[in-house]
Each structure stands twice: as structure tokens, then as C-alpha cells.
Amino acid sequence: MSSIPNGIYHPKSSTIHRLGAFTKMLCLLILLVAIIFTSKIFGYAVLFACLLALGIVSRLPIRLVINSVRRMFWFFTVILLMNTCFYGTENVWFKWWIFTPSAEGLIQGLNVILRVIFLLILSNIITMTTAPIEINRALEQMLYPLKFIGIPTSQVAMILSVAVQFISTLSEEAEAIRLAQTSRGAKFDSRRIGEKAGAVIPLLVPIFLASFKRADELSLAMEARGYQVNKKRKVKPPSFKTADYISVALCILLCVLSILVFH
């Protein structure tokens, strides 16, 4: 492949890489709350500055961090148009059939897009600075209290971890299939909606088949390595260092500011 898919772990020696996986997952949840509650321009500027600082400190290629954002351009366009044309009911610019575009809808659409973009960038930084086995262990530690009400936390953590890793794998698989279909005459870059839809349909079946094949190969590999579903595993409590406490404290501070000041 000509480009490395986003979401793949990049081993480096940055400060973000050295943080505990549990700390990074906890910070992700806290910052998710901060992103949801932020709705002012100054708040978005602060969040952008924080994400930019995280990207610089993590020493990750900026192109890979924002790669998933660029791929969702048309999704963001649809979200913006839908909110602009249907969200506002007062002070609309004009009315035509079922469309009622307004500044209120435009602002709401921009809020949704910015929140999704910030979340994508943040999740990319977390997954690209944390090894898959550490993510699995951190998820199991976070879900451990649910074990007392009968939820199989080990299996749930494994499913979530595998799902996260499969996103980048299937994206790479889909890109390879798209290039193969393009060489056979599929018109993915056509401006006609009918031709684009006709090109996408032959793309779906190979992707589904590839995903089932990957899942079967993964299950055989896990079985060959002695993985047992019902085996009891001892979950070690997360260990915190000074940098972990500082990171969580800064995230909580930003979350409080988002709720009290930036909302």
C-alpha cells in the first residue's frame, strides 16, 4: 500500500507513549465529555490547541493523525447540509418544500462536525500511541467492576480491542479492493451519482467476504495460541505514575472548563 492506514500503533519514545494505557483510556473518556459540552468558539480553539499539543508531544506524523478526517469529507458535508436545511424552525432564511435553512441549523451542523473531528483526532492519537495488548488490558481494567453483576468483562474487552484493530485492517483491505475494482473499470471518481452507486455495490461483497476471512483467521490463530473463553484471568489494578496523575488532572480541569465556561 502506498499509504499507512491510520489507527496502527507507532512505537516511539514520546511522553504520550510512556503514559499508562489505563490513563490514556480514562483521559479519552474525560475529554469526550469535554468535547460534547463545548459549544463556544473559544472553547473549540482551546480544544484544538490541546489536540495540536498532543500531536506534537506524541511525535506522530500529522498526516496520519488527520487521515481519517480527510476521508470523511462527504459525510461531514451531508451532516452540515442536513442540519442547515432541517434543524432550525425559527428565523429561517427561506422556506421551500420541506427545507428550512437557517443560521441556527448551520451553527448546529458545525458543532456536530467539529466534535466528531476532535473525537477522531483524539482517538487516533490514543490508538497510535498505545500497543493493542495494552488497550485490551486497559479496557479489561475499566470494565472490571461490571464483573460483579455477571458481565464477562474479559470477553467484552477482547471484542472491543479486536474491533478497534479491525477498523484499520478493513480500511486497508477496502482500499486494496477499490484499487483493484478501479483497474477493472469501476468509476469511483465519477461525478454521476448513479455510476458511483453502481461502483460501490461490487465493493461491498468483497469487503464482507474479506472481513469474514479475517475473523476466521484470527479465531484460528487465537485457538492455536491457547486462548480460552471461560478461563479465569487475574486482572491487575492499574499503576499510576506522576505523569499519569498530572495528565488526568489536566483533562479533568479542561472538562470542568468545558462544562462551566465553554458550554
Side-chain angles (χ1 to χ4, degrees):
M1 299 298 295
S2 58
S3 60
I4 302 174
N6 57 286
I8 296 296
Y9 173 58
H10 288 248
K12 291 182 180 293
S13 59
S14 69
T15 304
I16 306 299
H17 283 77
R18 289 192 293 268
L19 288 176
F22 184 87
T23 300
K24 285 184 273 190
M25 298 301 294
L26 182 60
C27 290
L28 175 63
L29 295 178
I30 297 173
L31 292 178
L32 173 60
V33 177
I35 291 172
I36 292 175
F37 276 93
T38 300
S39 59
K40 294 183 179 179
I41 297 179
F42 181 70
Y44 287 126
V46 172
L47 287 176
F48 176 77
C50 293
L51 291 178
L52 181 62
L54 286 176
I56 295 174
V57 173
S58 63
R59 300 170 60 187
L60 294 171
I62 301 299
R63 178 180 59 85
L64 294 181
V65 173
I66 65 173
N67 195 28
S68 58
V69 176
R70 293 188 294 125
R71 292 179 178 178
M72 298 185 67
F73 172 78
W74 291 112
F75 171 77
F76 293 142
T77 302
V78 172
I79 292 296
L80 183 62
L81 291 176
M82 292 289 288
N83 280 274
T84 302
C85 295
F86 299 108
Y87 182 82
T89 57
E90 298 180 358
N91 301 322
V92 300
W93 296 331
F94 61 88
K95 291 184 178 180
W96 180 74
W97 193 31
I98 59 175
F99 303 101
T100 56
S102 64
E104 181 185 3
L106 177 62
I107 293 174
Q108 175 64 18
L110 291 175
N111 281 329
V112 173
I113 291 174
L114 286 174
R115 288 167 182 167
V116 174
I117 289 176
F118 288 160
L119 180 58
L120 285 174
I121 294 176
L122 181 61
S123 60
N124 280 342
I125 293 175
I126 297 298
T127 55
M128 294 172 71
T129 58
T130 313
I133 188 63
E134 294 180 359
I135 292 179
N136 182 33
R137 189 179 296 114
L139 289 173
E140 192 169 357
Q141 291 169 343
M142 297 184 73
L143 297 173
Y144 184 76
L146 300 178
K147 195 171 185 178
F148 297 104
I149 58 176
I151 296 179
T153 55
S154 298
Q155 290 88 322
V156 173
M158 178 62 70
I159 292 171
L160 293 176
S161 179
V162 170
V164 171
Q165 298 304 314
F166 254 57
I167 292 175
S168 57
T169 302
L170 290 179
S171 297
E172 186 178 5
E173 193 82 32
E175 181 65 14
I177 295 172
R178 188 187 71 84
L179 293 176
Q181 295 284 10
T182 302
S183 65
R184 291 175 173 84
K187 299 180 179 179
F188 292 100
D189 298 328
S190 176
R191 295 183 179 180
R192 296 181 180 179
I193 298 178
E195 290 183 353
K196 273 195 172 184
V200 169
I201 293 176
L203 186 64
L204 295 178
V205 175
I207 290 177
F208 274 108
L209 293 177
S211 63
F212 288 131
K213 181 181 178 181
R214 293 276 187 178
D216 187 53
E217 292 175 349
L218 178 62
S219 64
L220 292 175
M222 293 174 66
E223 184 179 356
R225 286 166 175 79
Y227 180 80
Q228 298 179 10
V229 176
N230 298 322
K231 183 179 179 180
K232 293 184 179 180
R233 297 172 178 82
K234 185 177 181 181
V235 180
K236 296 182 180 180
S239 59
F240 291 93
K241 299 179 181 179
T242 303
D244 297 309
Y245 287 111
I246 295 175
S247 301
V248 174
L250 290 176
C251 291
I252 292 176
L253 176 61
L254 182 59
C255 183
V256 172
L257 288 176
S258 299
I259 295 175
L260 300 180
V261 181
F262 304 149
H263 184 57

